[in-house]
Amino acid sequence: MNRFPAMLVLVLILVAGVGRPAHAETASDAMTRAKAVAIIADNQKIVSPRGIEENVAVPINGIRQALQIRGRDTRNPILLFLHGGPASPDMPLAWTFQSPWEDYFTVVEWDQRGTGKTYALNSEAAMAPGMTIDGMTDDAAQVVQYLRKRFHKRRIFLMGHSWGSVLGVRLAQRHPDWFYAYIGVGQLVNMRANERAGFAFALDAAKADGNAKAIRELQSIEPYPGRKALTVPRVAVRSKWESYYGGLALGRRNFRFDARAWELSPAYSEKDLDAIGKGSLFSLHHLLGQLNDIDFDRVTHFRCPVVLFVGAHDETTSHVLAERWFAKLHAPSKRMVIFADSAHMVMQEQPGRFLVHLVDDVLPYAQRVGDAAPGEVVRGTGIPAGSTAGDHSMHSSR
């Protein structure tokens, strides 16, 4: 057997100086957050000649709002990601799932008003006047206008996750001509019905598990949500146990797998990380009461295409409510993909399948009008057709 290639790799590693040292680890060798972040940043660096990798603060509606813009070819369409929460940023998580998207889209992560880097850039007094659903929908509109103008795009893709799907639906309703498609991930349809469903799931799971602590804590907030306004302590109990039984991420007990990944984000400084919790409390103070009234049950006519990505086990934003809503939708075209092994965090739970459906079900809307970089050149014969077995896809065109 010819072992030269393996030996060559070993020589290259040693010459590059990245082999493990033979001596015992010293304090200077120990891994720190700064070293880990630098390694990830170097690994994720975009070096393609037509690529873009920027972190910018854009003046929007009286404050500076943080955007991360990444893609390997700016000839590709823009995909604006509206994170959940409120004030749960995806920018510090993007390094865990987003890189493959950047082959096909110029992806924009936006820290909304009151969130993460944007919270750190501004005073609460400056942000407070716009901390309404209407105000933040207008913020989103201004972000879209900035991107359309800067990149000379007539249309872009709009993706809303969880709370971000509230802004996404409202924006797609107001400006359908700006978007190739609206993509709802973990779509929120009706807030109070959603809370009832999540609570019922958690209590049923706790009873089946014989979990006395969970049953006691959940029953302490009954009837939930009832006629009372939503409050942070009551929502926290429901969310704690719904997450514990896999309604947030299938097979996981909590949000720690996400929150710990924030710590290694090349996009976030220590100050930005500290701002996440502060921004969340600030945002919930302003927005939780307004979320009481979110109801899209009768918002069923869209003038742009709609794509829903639904986790089959999502109880954070009820997959049942999303599926029922999809059945009532009227749009130029609509498609729903149900991910069999996901709950609410679909892009992290099944990242490969998420990418496949982004490319197969979303990207063609832009490709049809030439808003995409040239594809790969494939030579040969007998190339098998792709398969999405394991995902349940429904499509309807009108």
Side-chain angles (χ1 to χ4, degrees):
M1 181 183 296
N2 182 1
R3 302 181 61 85
F4 178 74
M7 288 299 295
L8 177 59
V9 170
L10 177 59
V11 169
L12 290 173
I13 289 173
L14 293 174
V15 169
V18 297
R20 293 297 302 272
H23 57 80
E25 186 179 82
T26 66
S28 62
D29 296 320
M31 183 59 68
T32 63
R33 177 183 182 272
K35 288 181 180 179
V37 167
I39 290 169
I40 293 168
D42 187 48
N43 175 269
Q44 300 275 302
K45 186 176 179 61
I46 291 177
V47 297
S48 49
R50 293 181 181 269
I52 184 170
E53 181 180 13
E54 287 187 7
N55 287 280
V56 295
V58 180
I60 293 171
N61 288 333
I63 63 170
R64 298 170 67 203
Q65 304 209 26
L67 305 178
Q68 181 190 72
I69 306 172
R70 292 178 55 90
R72 293 187 179 88
D73 195 321
T74 53
R75 293 175 295 178
N76 282 326
I78 302 289
L79 173 63
L80 173 60
F81 192 106
L82 306 178
H83 65 69
S88 181
D90 273 286
M91 192 185 300
L93 286 173
W95 69 272
T96 68
F97 63 83
Q98 184 181 288
S99 181
W101 303 8
E102 295 160 7
D103 284 346
Y104 302 95
F105 303 88
T106 297
V107 186
V108 181
E109 295 280 356
W110 164 44
D111 276 9
Q112 300 161 19
R113 181 182 294 258
T115 300
K117 291 175 76 74
T118 296
Y119 180 90
L121 286 169
N122 302 279
S123 69
E124 291 187 351
M127 290 184 288
M131 290 297 300
T132 65
I133 294 175
D134 279 341
M136 295 178 70
T137 302
D138 190 61
D139 284 351
Q142 297 305 313
V143 172
V144 173
Q145 289 291 65
Y146 166 81
L147 296 171
R148 292 174 71 216
K149 181 177 180 180
R150 176 174 172 186
F151 292 98
H152 308 289
K153 302 287 188 179
R154 183 166 173 241
R155 290 188 176 91
I156 70 169
F157 288 106
L158 181 67
M159 179 185 288
H161 180 229
S162 197
W163 146 258
S165 71
V166 174
L167 303 182
V169 166
R170 289 167 60 88
L171 197 54
Q173 287 282 311
R174 293 183 186 185
H175 303 285
D177 54 312
W178 290 358
F179 305 113
Y180 289 118
Y182 164 65
I183 307 112
V185 184
Q187 179 68 51
L188 178 61
V189 177
N190 180 309
M191 185 65 177
R192 298 191 74 80
N194 189 77
E195 292 305 290
R196 281 195 297 274
F199 176 85
F201 162 79
L203 185 56
D204 288 347
K207 288 178 177 178
D209 190 30
N211 189 333
K213 179 180 180 182
I215 295 169
R216 183 173 62 254
E217 290 187 8
L218 287 163
Q219 289 182 336
S220 75
I221 62 172
E222 284 188 303
Y224 183 85
R227 296 184 178 181
K228 297 179 181 178
L230 296 173
T231 63
V232 172
R234 297 179 81 226
V235 171
V237 171
R238 173 264 205 230
S239 296
K240 171 184 174 181
W241 293 111
E242 171 258 309
S243 299
Y244 183 84
Y245 286 108
L248 175 72
L250 184 64
R252 294 184 184 270
R253 297 297 200 188
N254 52 47
F255 192 63
R256 189 176 304 155
F257 76 104
D258 258 353
R260 293 183 71 184
W262 291 340
E263 297 285 340
L264 299 179
S265 171
Y268 261 46
S269 67
E270 293 280 3
K271 179 183 177 182
D272 299 330
L273 291 170
D274 290 342
I276 295 176
K278 296 173 185 176
S280 180
L281 290 174
F282 170 74
S283 297
L284 287 171
H285 171 73
H286 286 276
L287 294 169
L288 186 55
Q290 298 175 50
L291 280 170
N292 273 295
D293 301 322
I294 291 299
D295 181 357
F296 293 144
D297 281 329
R298 293 179 177 83
V299 182
T300 56
H301 286 76
F302 285 78
R303 288 178 291 146
C304 68
V306 176
V307 180
L308 293 190
F309 286 175
V310 178
H313 305 275
D314 191 349
E315 302 294 343
T316 300
T317 51
S318 170
H319 66 95
V320 174
L321 297 180
E323 291 170 42
R324 290 175 183 169
W325 186 65
F326 175 82
K328 299 186 294 183
L329 292 186
H330 299 271
S333 70
K334 68 176 188 176
R335 181 181 292 271
M336 176 171 64
V337 181
I338 301 176
F339 291 81
D341 296 321
S342 291
H344 191 60
M345 307 303 292
V346 187
M347 58 276 188
Q348 291 169 278
E349 295 178 87
Q350 292 186 270
R353 291 190 181 277
F354 196 100
L355 174 67
V356 165
H357 288 290
L358 270 182
V359 174
D360 288 352
D361 300 330
V362 174
L363 184 61
Y365 289 109
Q367 288 175 321
R368 289 177 195 136
V369 296
D371 185 12
E376 300 85 354
V377 176
V378 179
R379 296 185 175 90
T381 59
I383 300 174
S387 172
T388 55
D391 307 324
H392 182 199
S393 180
M394 293 187 284
H395 177 253
S396 175
S397 296
R398 290 180 174 84

